[in-house]
């Protein structure tokens, strides 16, 4: 193997997410003691990545892969990578891993807690960060891994993990006594993934709030009992206990929802920011104050109660069902668009930032 390589990475201006540039440097491919080098093969880009960047400071998402330049950062993305060099017992050259990566050609890592399942990156700068994002899964161990559906896995697994854990959180709390759930940005994959996870609760009415342009798409999903546009919010009767699941992050919309349902609004769950790149604000003009849902907290709870294997089984089996639902139709609900290179990634990120990617599209970048 050659001793040096050119490392390519896409770095983004932290205060202007549609501005990025390609940076290159030469680095040795000889790993230090306790180090592995992974060659990143492919990553998914969704609105979720824009959320990571938008909350990069408040939730320290920029901290996972420091860019080394003031004001610039790596937008994290979920993907697959192959080990090309290793000095770590239990991690072999050629093994493939799923996990959290920068948009870059290579990543140097310091594995700890190495098991059959995979490892955690013990790099010093990641020690204080959320451990769920530091875990890398060995594809050879994962019984739910399918080589032929890698693109679907990296597009849907991170989003469905949130969907599955959010649905579990709501069930765990008996839906806060609500009989109606209202989802904003209902066309987002995380929103309708949550709705799908709650399909066996006939006492619940799942209501989709979406843009007029996405209304037909959302109606075709088949996982909501009712679909209304944002302009039609007032047509929803305030006649039952209602829980708002906010995937939009739109503060004006949140206030409209809170005002409309008034005393019938029993809980306001802030779950995402598909329509806003502003820092998260847990405020509302009236009614219950929004509560931020963070999937790793529910995972930690279930790890203690079910064990990690139980949690993996719960998410893995649910994901397989969700993938079948998304792809089994004559006209699939997700069109995978695979592109190659950093220029393609720049274009997709800009379109995502400006809300120009239709909900049916799922973008994968080969690096």
């Amino acid at each position: 193997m050659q001793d040096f390589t050119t490392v390519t990475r896409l770095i983004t201006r932290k205060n202007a997410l549609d501005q990025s540039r390609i940076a290159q440097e030469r680095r040795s491919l000889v790993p230090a003691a306790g180090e592995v080098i992974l060659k990143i093969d492919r990553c998914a880009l969704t609105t979720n990545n824009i959320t990571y960047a938008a909350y990069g400071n408040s939730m320290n998402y920029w901290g996972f892969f420091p860019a080394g330049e003031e004001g610039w950062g790596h937008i994290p993305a979920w993907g697959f990578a192959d080990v090309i060099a290793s000095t770590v017992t239990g991690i072999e050259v050629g093994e493939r891993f799923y996990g959290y990566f920068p948009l870059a050609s290579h990543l140097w890592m310091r594995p700890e807690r190495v098991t059959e399942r995979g490892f955690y990156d013990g790099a010093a700068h990641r020690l204080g960060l959320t451990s769920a994002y530091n875990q890398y899964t060995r594809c050879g161990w994962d019984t739910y891994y399918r080589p032929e559906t890698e693109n679907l896995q990296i597009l849907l697994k991170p989003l469905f993990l949130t969907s599955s854990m959010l649905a579990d959180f709501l069930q765990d709390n008996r839906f806060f006594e609500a009989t109606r759930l209202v989802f904003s940005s209902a066309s987002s994959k995380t929103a309708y993934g949550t709705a799908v996870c709650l399909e066996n609760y006939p006492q619940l009415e799942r209501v989709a709030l979406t843009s007029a342009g996405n209304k037909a798409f959302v109606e075709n999903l088949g996982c909501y009992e009712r679909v209304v546009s944002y302009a039609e919010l007032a047509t929803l009767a305030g006649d039952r206990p209602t829980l708002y699941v906010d995937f939009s992050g739109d503060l004006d919309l949140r206030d409209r929802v809170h005002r409309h349902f008034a005393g019938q609004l029993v809980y306001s769950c802030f779950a995402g920011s598909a329509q806003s790149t502003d820092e998260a604000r847990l405020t509302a003009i009236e009614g219950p104050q929004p509560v931020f849902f963070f999937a790793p907290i529910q995972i930690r709870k279930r790890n203690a109660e079910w064990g990690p294997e139980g949690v993996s089984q719960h998410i893995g089996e649910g994901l397989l069902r969700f993938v079948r639902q998304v792809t089994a139709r004559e006209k699939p609900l997700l069109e995978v668009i695979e592109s190659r290179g950093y220029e393609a990634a720049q274009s997709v990120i800009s379109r995502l930032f400006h809300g120009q990617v239709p909900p049916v599209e799922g973008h994968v970048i080969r690096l």
Side-chain angles (χ1 to χ4, degrees):
M1 183 181 73
Q2 59 188 19
D3 291 339
F4 284 83
T5 191
T6 298
V7 177
T8 305
R9 55 202 179 98
L10 184 67
I11 57 175
T12 298
R13 193 181 291 278
K14 292 180 180 180
N15 62 1
L17 303 183
D18 58 345
Q19 296 181 27
S20 60
R21 61 184 173 84
I22 300 166
Q24 292 187 320
E25 62 179 333
R26 296 284 291 173
R27 284 196 64 171
S28 170
L29 287 175
V30 179
E35 194 172 64
V36 298
I37 304 172
L38 275 71
K39 178 74 173 68
I40 302 167
D41 174 45
R42 67 184 70 207
C43 289
L45 288 176
T46 68
T47 305
N48 206 32
N49 302 93
I50 304 302
T51 300
Y52 291 145
Y55 299 163
N57 292 320
S58 61
M59 298 188 67
N60 209 10
Y61 287 120
W62 293 123
F64 285 92
F65 310 108
E69 296 185 38
E70 184 69 28
W72 294 81
H74 291 107
I75 293 181
W78 295 91
F80 289 104
D82 300 303
V83 179
I84 61 170
S86 173
T87 60
V88 177
T89 301
I91 299 179
E92 304 297 330
V93 170
E95 289 195 280
R96 193 165 179 83
F97 286 86
Y98 164 84
Y100 208 48
F101 297 104
L103 293 170
S105 57
H106 300 76
L107 183 62
W108 278 251
M109 311 178 79
R110 301 194 67 85
E112 293 182 350
R113 297 155 63 185
V114 179
T115 66
E116 287 185 344
R117 177 176 180 165
F119 66 88
Y120 288 80
D121 187 5
H125 69 275
R126 296 180 71 165
L127 294 181
L129 303 176
T130 304
S131 64
Y133 298 105
N134 289 336
Q135 183 177 0
Y136 292 81
T137 302
R138 200 186 307 260
C139 295
W141 169 88
D142 185 0
T143 56
Y144 302 103
Y145 169 75
R146 304 288 187 273
E148 66 275 14
T149 60
E150 280 193 340
N151 286 345
L152 287 170
Q153 291 171 68
I154 55 177
L155 281 165
L156 296 178
K157 186 174 182 178
L159 306 177
F160 185 78
L161 183 147
T162 298
S163 299
S164 178
M165 287 294 100
L166 174 55
D168 180 64
F169 166 78
L170 296 176
Q171 295 167 46
D172 205 21
N173 288 279
R174 300 169 62 89
F175 304 102
F176 298 90
E177 308 304 325
T179 58
R180 174 198 280 143
L181 304 184
V182 176
F183 299 80
S184 63
S185 289
S187 65
S188 72
K189 299 170 186 64
T190 316
Y192 70 75
T194 306
V196 165
C197 289
L198 297 173
E199 61 187 358
N200 294 320
Y201 291 84
Q203 78 276 19
L204 286 177
E205 181 189 29
R206 298 164 297 174
V207 178
L209 277 179
T210 189
S211 66
N214 285 337
K215 188 174 179 181
F217 173 82
V218 175
E219 288 172 337
N220 187 49
L221 292 172
C223 58
Y224 299 106
E225 277 71 47
R226 187 170 177 186
V227 180
V228 299
S229 72
Y230 295 123
E232 297 169 332
L233 172 62
T235 65
L236 294 172
D239 59 350
R240 69 186 74 179
T242 298
L243 190 157
Y244 180 45
V245 189
D246 181 9
F247 285 99
S248 73
D250 185 321
L251 297 179
D252 291 337
L253 175 61
R254 181 188 297 164
D255 285 343
R256 287 178 57 209
V257 169
H258 277 237
R259 277 202 200 97
H260 178 71
F261 292 109
Q264 291 284 19
L265 189 67
V266 296
Y267 191 80
S268 182
C269 178
F270 177 44
S273 189
Q275 294 173 216
S276 173
T277 55
D278 296 330
E279 288 284 351
R281 286 173 53 192
L282 297 175
T283 60
I285 196 165
E286 63 179 75
Q289 288 303 293
V291 179
F292 181 64
F293 174 76
F294 189 47
I297 295 175
Q298 187 69 7
I299 291 173
R300 191 180 310 135
K301 178 179 188 292
R302 290 311 194 191
N303 275 337
E305 296 171 349
W306 301 344
E309 299 298 326
V311 173
S312 292
Q313 181 178 358
H314 176 79
I315 295 171
E317 292 180 355
L319 176 62
L320 290 182
R321 290 194 298 271
F322 187 53
V323 168
R324 285 195 294 269
Q325 285 180 273
V326 167
T327 60
R329 303 183 181 206
E330 182 178 340
K331 188 175 182 180
L333 299 175
L334 179 62
E335 177 189 349
V336 177
I337 300 174
E338 183 180 297
S339 306
R340 183 176 292 274
Y342 300 91
E343 291 86 357
Q346 287 177 297
S347 174
V348 172
I349 290 170
S350 179
R351 290 177 60 215
L352 286 166
F353 176 75
H354 290 289
Q356 297 169 345
V357 175
V360 72
E361 291 184 8
H363 288 268
V364 171
I365 305 297
R366 297 292 303 272
L367 300 169

